[in-house]
Amino acid sequence: MPAWRGRAEKFETEVAKAVVGQSRVIRLLTIALFARGHVLLEGDVGVGKTTLLRAAARCVGGSYERIEGTIDLMPGDLVYHTYLAEDGRPRVDEGPVLRAGENLAIFFFNEINRARPQVHSLLLRLMAERTVTAFNREFRFPHLTVFADRNRVEREETFELPAAARDRFLMEIAIETPADAATRRGLAFDTRFHDTDRLIDSLAEGILPYDELNDIGRAIQTRVKTSEALERYVLDLWQAVRKPGEAGIEIPGVDTSRLVSAGASPRGLSYLVRAARVAAWLDGREIAVPEDVRAVFFETMAHRIFFEPVYEMRRETIARELIDRLFATVPVP
């Protein structure tokens, strides 16, 4: 286990060479990989989401595949590709999901909300079961982690993800433009960042062997313990986030007794605990503490809390304030 913690630190250091000013994002990505959960990335165009995933894929090893979300994308486009060969005959080849077989480690769905719900349904199975049925057989992807991002700028010809789809993601991670002036200057003027392919090729490969992550992930969940006090704290947070009005949480301009319509499912809570255990392990501890829960709470739980329609348009602001006030209200053991 100490050797793997060293690998995790090296992984973060290596990825940070390609994606600067995003240390917290890289830490959350590392947690997701060891917790064996899928990730939805949020962020404006050009903030480095694809570069981040390409860097992570190189450092993890295995195969990396990507598909672009478009309004005319169909489920079959993920699993097969049809074309006319040089002899004029139609051919069918394996698509991006099937191409690498069991060696597929990271699959990136770019602008997932541009794809139709039928495509989301197939992705749900891939995420939940890591299997796909095609060509009259079942394909398995035991080492797969799915990453996706959403276009949050344009609203035309987009399809918002349903609750079931969002709940399958362990985390939703926001990537913002770095605020540090020196980092901004480097991104703009340092030519190292202008050639992404060369930048990615300069990173070390296979720091976290993709075909061993499942075993080490299980070992972390077994080894890192939770106390009764922490378990009560997590359950208190869960109850309060589901019924903030009853918990005494107040937000200006918001009726907290009518704020939350659904969400914070048992699956979401189990994901929260999984992520908190990994956060504790990365910090060198074998028992999770409240700080570990709080460190991953927003990214693992906020997208699972569904507001009444009157508040949904202000989701980003209200969700952050709700969780801040949740931490201030629920007693820490």
Side-chain angles (χ1 to χ4, degrees):
M1 296 288 279
W4 269 96
R5 192 177 294 113
R7 288 183 180 183
E9 292 173 357
K10 185 177 179 181
F11 169 83
E12 293 183 334
T13 300
E14 201 69 12
V15 173
K17 294 177 182 178
V19 186
V20 296
Q22 302 288 357
S23 58
R24 173 168 167 76
V25 169
I26 295 172
R27 171 50 61 97
L28 290 169
L29 180 69
T30 306
I31 290 172
L33 285 170
F34 281 101
R36 307 309 298 135
H38 310 294
V39 175
L40 181 65
L41 298 175
E42 292 273 5
D44 293 333
V45 175
V47 294
K49 298 185 293 295
T50 303
T51 302
L52 171 67
L53 294 185
R54 289 184 62 190
R58 182 172 178 85
C59 295
V60 167
S63 296
Y64 166 82
E65 294 286 350
R66 169 178 173 166
I67 196 167
E68 302 293 327
T70 60
I71 193 171
D72 60 346
L73 188 73
M74 298 301 291
D77 295 326
L78 274 66
V79 295
Y80 62 82
H81 168 59
T82 60
Y83 64 100
L84 289 177
E86 292 182 359
D87 59 6
R89 295 182 178 181
R91 299 290 174 84
V92 179
D93 282 346
E94 294 172 336
V97 170
L98 302 185
R99 249 191 309 262
E102 293 190 357
N103 293 322
L104 183 58
I106 291 181
F107 182 73
F108 177 34
F109 201 126
N110 190 38
E111 296 197 346
I112 188 174
N113 59 331
R114 286 198 178 278
R116 294 176 179 274
Q118 300 95 313
V119 180
H120 299 161
S121 297
L122 178 62
L123 190 70
L124 279 181
R125 174 176 175 180
L126 182 63
M127 294 167 63
E129 304 175 14
R130 290 185 167 91
T131 64
V132 164
T133 300
F135 305 110
N136 296 319
R137 56 171 289 201
E138 185 176 76
F139 293 82
R140 295 185 175 276
F141 311 94
H143 313 296
L144 174 65
T145 303
V146 173
F147 291 88
D149 76 348
R150 285 190 297 180
N151 184 320
R152 69 179 187 183
V153 177
E154 298 167 314
R155 296 298 180 184
E156 294 181 0
E157 296 186 344
T158 60
F159 302 86
E160 189 54 59
L161 291 177
R166 296 185 71 180
D167 195 58
R168 291 292 181 183
F169 288 99
L170 169 70
M171 293 183 182
E172 284 193 10
I173 302 175
I175 302 180
E176 305 292 344
T177 302
D180 178 67
T183 301
R184 286 174 176 243
R185 184 178 294 108
L187 290 171
F189 296 104
D190 189 339
T191 56
R192 180 167 61 98
F193 299 111
H194 298 175
D195 187 341
T196 303
D197 291 339
R198 186 175 181 180
L199 181 62
I200 298 300
D201 288 343
S202 70
L203 305 181
E205 290 186 89
I207 297 171
L208 302 179
Y210 74 98
D211 54 354
E212 298 179 34
L213 283 174
N214 286 338
D215 291 337
I216 192 64
R218 282 190 290 267
I220 292 170
Q221 296 303 312
T222 300
R223 179 164 296 192
V224 178
K225 306 300 181 183
T226 56
S227 65
E228 290 188 11
L230 181 75
E231 290 170 8
R232 286 196 301 271
Y233 179 60
V234 170
L235 292 173
D236 288 344
L237 288 174
W238 187 25
Q239 178 64 20
V241 83
R242 289 174 62 87
K243 298 183 181 297
E246 294 182 6
I249 295 173
E250 298 182 355
I251 301 174
V254 175
D255 181 358
T256 54
S257 65
R258 298 179 55 250
L259 173 61
V260 178
S261 61
S265 65
R267 176 166 54 204
L269 199 71
S270 70
Y271 282 168
L272 170 67
V273 175
R274 282 167 57 184
R277 284 194 173 111
V278 175
W281 175 76
L282 288 172
D283 283 343
R285 287 178 277 101
E286 293 194 358
I287 184 167
V289 297
E291 286 74 14
D292 299 317
V293 174
R294 294 156 73 106
V296 297
F297 193 93
F298 185 86
E299 285 78 14
T300 56
M301 297 298 284
H303 63 287
R304 295 183 164 89
I305 305 168
F306 299 98
F307 297 151
E308 292 291 344
V310 67
Y311 299 116
E312 193 62 39
M313 292 298 293
R314 297 161 54 199
R315 153 170 289 279
E316 188 171 338
T317 301
I318 293 177
R320 177 65 69 178
E321 191 162 2
L322 171 64
I323 290 174
D324 286 345
R325 292 178 182 268
L326 176 74
F327 290 158
T329 302
V330 177
V332 180

